[in-house]
Amino acid sequence: MPFITYLSGLLTAQMLSDDQLISGVEIRCEEKGRCPSTCHLCRRPGKEQLSPTPVLLEINRVVPLYTLIQDNGTKEAFKSALMSSYWCSGKGDVIDDWCRCDLSAFDASGLPNCSPLPQPVLRLSPTVEPSSTVVSLEWVDVQPAIGTKVSDYILQHKKVDEYTDTDLYTGEFLSFADDLLSGLGTSCVAAGRSHGEIPEVSIYSVIFKCLEPDGLYKFTLYAVDTRGRHSELSTVTLRTACPLVDDNKAEEIADKIYNLYNGYTSGKEQQMAYNTLMEVSASMLFRVQHHYNSHYEKFGDFVWRSEDELGPRKAHLILRRLERVSSHCSSLLRSAYIQSRVETVPYLFCRSEEVRPAGMVWYSILKDTKITCEEKMVSMARNTYGESKGRYYLTLSKVSPF
């Protein structure tokens, strides 16, 4: 039915008169141009002039559709159908704040699935910039107002590199409720819960404080409801920032190695140079090589001089450690100047006030758990890189959400 015909029918039936106003509806018409000639629905039989195009002028207030129905029986049936469609996928009835599923709405495991379990979205916390050892993640609680109840969130994290079989190495699984909020987990991981712009919406966070620098990590999150169902996975892959480097010390070591290599090198000096280069980290060794070649390459580069002074075997033991430095950090460690800094950042540390009974995890609702939170501080070590003194730039960790 063309909309103009519908309006004409309402006017004819006097449903829009002052005596019988429809609750929540106000219709006003005015000329706003003409329908295109290609629209056959706009032509009124017996009249050559095209009908005006209806335009929504304003919305006075928003009300549920079922309140517009006058008959109580029809209104309740319409309300029940709308609630079922929105909260229970049209396969169950809304009872208080949960869904009673129809007999046909059960999955292969025999669990009711008319109320969907949304997928949580894992992301980096915008308030905590990742460092070489610290990463903070967060997600918004996916429990709807009506329907499924979230019992727990399971977070998996593992380091991924070329030496690890990702199919065999599963990493570590942490239960947000049983491991983190209960305090049974490691001190290197802390859980938090806060509220977003809407007070009813909870934001959960987890901060990892003991990660390895320049490491590729994969974090995976899924929700568990009170019936034991698992949501779809949410994944974030992240490489931590490059290790902290003391650039002044690296330059001092480069000068020391040059002096040990210069002229006749005795067995004692060879051993001292070897011990010095093996004691520093791989990133520091890369920076030592950079300073050595910057100042003394005209006397032979670092690799050639090390092989000549220490012998191929010892030089190989030293130089193969440079392979541990990623290409990302290698390019940064070639910067003209590096400045290290350590700053402290606040984070939330929350603990549960109640003990969840063993074997009854699925019957507890995470949102109803009483917790106590306090603000703590964590030290964040970072490098800043620059091409000239006094001009530095920051580098962020690489993140790949899937």
Side-chain angles (χ1 to χ4, degrees):
M1 177 188 296
F3 188 67
I4 191 65
T5 305
Y6 171 70
L7 290 181
S8 300
L10 291 180
L11 290 170
T12 303
Q14 298 296 318
M15 293 186 67
L16 292 181
S17 66
D18 294 337
D19 298 332
Q20 276 188 315
L21 287 177
I22 297 179
S23 174
V25 173
E26 178 183 353
I27 297 178
R28 289 179 287 163
C29 291
E30 63 180 51
E31 183 69 34
K32 286 287 185 179
R34 300 181 182 276
C35 292
S37 59
T38 56
C39 179
H40 67 281
L41 295 178
C42 295
R43 295 187 177 91
R44 299 178 64 185
K47 293 187 178 181
E48 296 180 357
Q49 186 178 6
L50 301 179
S51 61
T53 303
V55 176
L56 179 64
L57 300 179
E58 62 178 318
I59 299 176
N60 291 332
R61 60 192 178 95
V62 178
V63 295
L65 285 175
Y66 55 80
T67 62
L68 304 180
I69 301 174
Q70 304 299 315
D71 180 69
N72 289 335
T74 306
K75 179 187 294 186
E76 287 301 317
F78 191 25
K79 176 181 178 181
S80 176
L82 283 178
M83 297 285 283
S84 173
S85 176
Y86 188 82
W87 296 110
C88 309
S89 305
K91 301 177 182 179
D93 299 320
V94 173
I95 307 298
D96 295 330
D97 64 346
W98 59 281
C99 287
R100 183 179 63 191
C101 297
D102 298 337
L103 294 177
S104 60
F106 286 77
D107 58 19
S109 303
L111 297 175
N113 63 351
C114 66
S115 177
L117 177 57
Q119 176 192 23
V121 179
L122 189 63
R123 67 191 182 194
L124 282 176
S125 298
T127 57
V128 181
E129 178 191 342
S131 72
S132 56
T133 58
V134 179
V135 169
S136 181
L137 302 169
E138 69 178 27
W139 64 94
V140 177
D141 186 21
V142 297
Q143 178 172 304
I146 296 175
T148 186
K149 306 302 178 186
V150 174
S151 171
D152 201 0
Y153 290 97
I154 305 299
L155 185 65
Q156 177 199 19
H157 70 100
K158 62 180 179 179
K159 187 178 180 184
V160 183
D161 53 40
E162 63 273 21
Y163 308 107
T164 304
D165 188 331
T166 55
D167 294 330
L168 296 177
Y169 173 62
T170 59
E172 183 179 2
F173 287 85
L174 293 172
S175 162
F176 190 85
D178 292 338
D179 296 327
L180 301 179
L181 288 182
S182 66
L184 299 178
T186 173
S187 59
C188 289
V189 186
R193 185 174 75 184
S194 58
H195 297 285
E197 297 180 357
I198 303 176
E200 293 79 13
V201 177
S202 297
I203 298 178
Y204 296 103
S205 62
V206 175
I207 184 169
F208 294 86
K209 298 180 287 184
C210 306
L211 301 180
E212 295 183 19
D214 193 20
L216 184 63
Y217 286 88
K218 182 178 180 180
F219 302 91
T220 304
L221 177 76
Y222 63 88
V224 182
D225 71 2
T226 53
R227 294 185 174 97
R229 291 187 303 165
H230 292 185
S231 71
E232 294 185 12
L233 302 178
S234 177
T235 302
V236 169
T237 302
L238 173 143
R239 180 175 290 279
T240 52
C242 303
L244 196 65
V245 172
D246 187 337
D247 201 33
N248 293 329
K249 184 177 180 180
E251 193 167 12
E252 291 174 2
I253 293 175
D255 293 338
K256 177 182 177 180
I257 297 301
Y258 169 74
N259 292 327
L260 292 174
Y261 286 173
N262 191 25
Y264 170 75
T265 305
S266 65
K268 180 179 179 181
E269 290 172 327
Q270 289 180 355
Q271 190 62 38
M272 185 180 298
Y274 175 78
N275 291 342
T276 300
L277 295 175
M278 290 297 287
E279 287 172 358
V280 298
S281 65
S283 297
M284 276 290 286
L285 178 61
F286 196 100
R287 192 61 180 169
V288 168
Q289 179 188 31
H290 171 81
H291 281 302
Y292 188 98
N293 292 335
S294 299
H295 299 310
Y296 310 113
E297 191 172 17
K298 60 183 178 181
F299 303 109
D301 69 1
F302 180 77
V303 173
W304 181 83
R305 291 289 290 161
S306 296
E307 291 176 343
D308 183 58
E309 296 294 340
L310 305 179
R313 187 184 69 84
K314 286 187 175 180
H316 173 71
L317 293 175
I318 293 171
L319 297 174
R320 73 176 183 180
R321 299 173 61 226
L322 296 175
E323 299 174 0
R324 303 177 187 173
V325 183
S326 67
S327 58
H328 171 65
C329 288
S330 296
S331 61
L332 292 174
L333 290 171
R334 293 189 183 95
S335 302
Y337 299 97
I338 299 178
Q339 188 177 56
S340 58
R341 61 188 177 93
V342 179
E343 60 184 15
T344 54
V345 176
Y347 69 94
L348 270 183
F349 176 75
C350 298
R351 287 287 181 89
S352 173
E353 298 179 0
E354 54 195 33
V355 179
R356 290 163 66 100
M360 297 291 286
V361 174
W362 290 354
Y363 302 97
S364 302
I365 300 176
L366 181 61
K367 196 171 187 178
D368 296 340
T369 303
K370 295 180 180 180
I371 62 174
T372 302
C373 297
E374 60 179 311
E375 187 178 273
K376 290 195 172 185
M377 307 295 289
V378 61
S379 297
M380 310 276 281
R382 311 182 194 280
N383 293 326
T384 50
Y385 307 87
E387 297 305 322
S388 61
K389 287 186 176 180
R391 297 183 64 184
Y392 296 91
Y393 52 90
L394 298 175
T395 60
L396 301 179
S397 302
K398 291 184 175 180
V399 183
S400 300
F402 294 93

